[in-house]
Amino acid sequence: MAKHSAPFLQAPALCAAFLGFSPVLAHAQPSTLYQASWATWALGLCLAALMLVVLLEALYTFRHYAFTLNRLFARQRPLYAGIEQAHWPHITVFIAAHNEEAVISGCIEALLDVDYPRDRLTIMPVNDRSTDGTRQIIDSYADRHPGRLQLFHRQEGPPGKAAALADATAIVQARGESELIVVFDADYLPGKKIIKQLVAPFLDPEVGAVMGRVVPQNAGVNLLTRLLDLERSGGYQVDQQARFNMGAVAQYGGTVGGIRLSALQDVGGWTPEVLAEDTDLTYRLLLKGWQTAYLGYAECYEEVPESWAVRFRQISRWAKGHNQVMTKLGTEMLTRKGLRWMERVDGVALLGVFLMSPILLVGWLLALVLTVTGYGIGANVNIALLMLLIATGFACVGNFAAFFEVAAAVHLDGHQRRLRLLPLLLTGFVVSMVAVSKATIDGLLLDKLFKRQFKWDKTVRYRQAPAAAPAAAQAAAVATVALPEARV
């Protein structure tokens, strides 16, 4: 079926390419009406490039609308949600921590209180070369809760979360007790039922990883945190859930997720040299035939950036890591046999998602050039005006497809009042586009050209660390952290 449908799927692209390059070809023919000049050739190339940009953006537009409509009207897959009783396996929970004295108490307190058999749960804070009071806080909890925590203070080794997780995983595998690992970043606040929720899908032997939903805990601080709350809603409530519904590529997100140790071993373990270890693992599991399950009801609360500078650096790091995986596994996604067509198409689209920001900027620049100098195309001025109308129309419909996702997510969450902030998402959209474009150009070109080494930029934490006090006082301090109301 796939072989027969391939030419049909390529036909629109071939037609678009022909239409885009037809003005250029026209200039190549001898003509008595006018003589082609270098300027005319350049404008023709700009026109063809703009058509290609519009085509790529249109494909992503269709993807966004398809996900939103699926989430609103199609059959959902709330699998595993009703499982309360089972033979729960032994698991180890990692708390990824590097200089996290301000927040790690909250995560440990929450995990000590989860609804999971104590004799089958090991909590391992992965303290990666912290230089603040993180180690002392972890040790104090281990002293007060004997047997509940397994200490791992990493003093040396390559930097990065993936390298730390690789060392911690080696210890867990050597002990041979756990079948699964569950990962939380230190600033996350897990709910009481979340461990059972994340573990239940592994009763299906084809599931190699699971991912829960991330919800901002500090959404009410300022405009940026409110906008990021909207983005998270769109990304998890609609995008991730729709991809899981449609049999596309549900993505393991690096935290609030679990991994089957046998699956991790099957794909070769963690990859320390990759910045986005979660995206890398998602695709290596997919290419090996393992499934990733998304659980929208398994909510965990995080801190989002409260300043634009921190947000800029955070999304830049994500873009570089994601593009690393694209250059590493993109060809294999296109050529590997055994993938379903939906996995292949969405997998390639997901790999290229951070490329679309610089492509969109190029499209805006090309549209500006053609608008200002389009008269130089001569006989093809009507084509230039047509392309301007197409680009303008797409900007009204296509660029806002992601905003449609956010609106649908807000509706599904039952928080319609938040729709008042939707127009202001354009601010975050522009900032993210600039950050991602810079990071993409740096990561794919300038860093390699100038042999620059990547410097890990830790996301700033905003919660205040509880002062040294008895266990009851620390627990009371943690309990004061306000969590948003549960989503529907």
Side-chain angles (χ1 to χ4, degrees), residues 334-355:
L334 288 170
T335 59
R336 174 68 69 90
K337 295 181 179 179
L339 294 177
R340 292 180 286 109
W341 73 269
M342 178 61 78
E343 292 174 332
R344 193 182 305 278
V345 171
D346 183 59
V348 172
L350 183 59
L351 280 177
V353 71
F354 280 103
L355 283 180

Side-chain angles (χ1 to χ4, degrees), residues 344-376:
R344 193 182 305 278
V345 171
D346 183 59
V348 172
L350 183 59
L351 280 177
V353 71
F354 280 103
L355 283 180
M356 299 314 296
S357 287
I359 287 175
L360 182 57
L361 283 177
V362 169
W364 287 358
L365 179 62
L366 291 172
L368 178 62
V369 170
L370 288 171
T371 301
V372 174
T373 63
Y375 62 87

Side-chain angles (χ1 to χ4, degrees), residues 77-134:
R77 293 177 65 189
L79 304 181
Y80 322 110
I83 298 178
E84 293 288 344
Q85 302 294 326
H87 178 69
W88 300 108
H90 191 284
I91 70 168
T92 297
V93 178
F94 290 158
I95 306 174
H98 173 68
N99 291 338
E100 301 285 10
E101 65 178 6
V103 295
I104 194 168
S105 294
C107 190
I108 295 176
E109 286 282 354
L111 289 173
L112 287 170
D113 192 44
V114 294
D115 178 21
Y116 199 83
R118 288 193 176 187
D119 60 333
R120 299 175 192 173
L121 172 66
T122 299
I123 302 171
M124 180 187 285
V126 182
N127 176 28
D128 182 23
R129 300 168 298 129
S130 295
T131 56
D132 61 357
T134 300

Side-chain angles (χ1 to χ4, degrees), residues 149-206:
L149 274 68
Q150 180 179 352
L151 302 183
F152 177 49
H153 298 296
R154 187 172 183 259
Q155 303 292 342
E156 57 186 15
K161 180 179 175 180
L165 291 177
D167 290 348
T169 301
I171 294 174
V172 173
Q173 289 174 323
R175 294 185 62 178
E177 292 181 351
S178 298
E179 302 174 38
L180 315 169
I181 55 175
V182 175
V183 182
F184 294 99
D185 287 345
D187 63 305
Y188 280 67
L189 296 170
K192 192 176 182 67
K193 296 182 178 181
I194 196 168
I195 299 299
K196 282 187 176 180
Q197 291 171 337
L198 293 175
V199 170
F202 288 108
L203 299 175
D204 181 347
E206 295 184 351

Side-chain angles (χ1 to χ4, degrees), residues 61 64-65 68 234 397-407 422 425 429:
T61 296
H64 281 300
Y65 282 119
T68 306
V397 178
N399 290 344
F400 292 94
F403 293 69
F404 185 38
E405 278 192 0
V406 171
L422 197 60
L425 270 179
F429 177 79

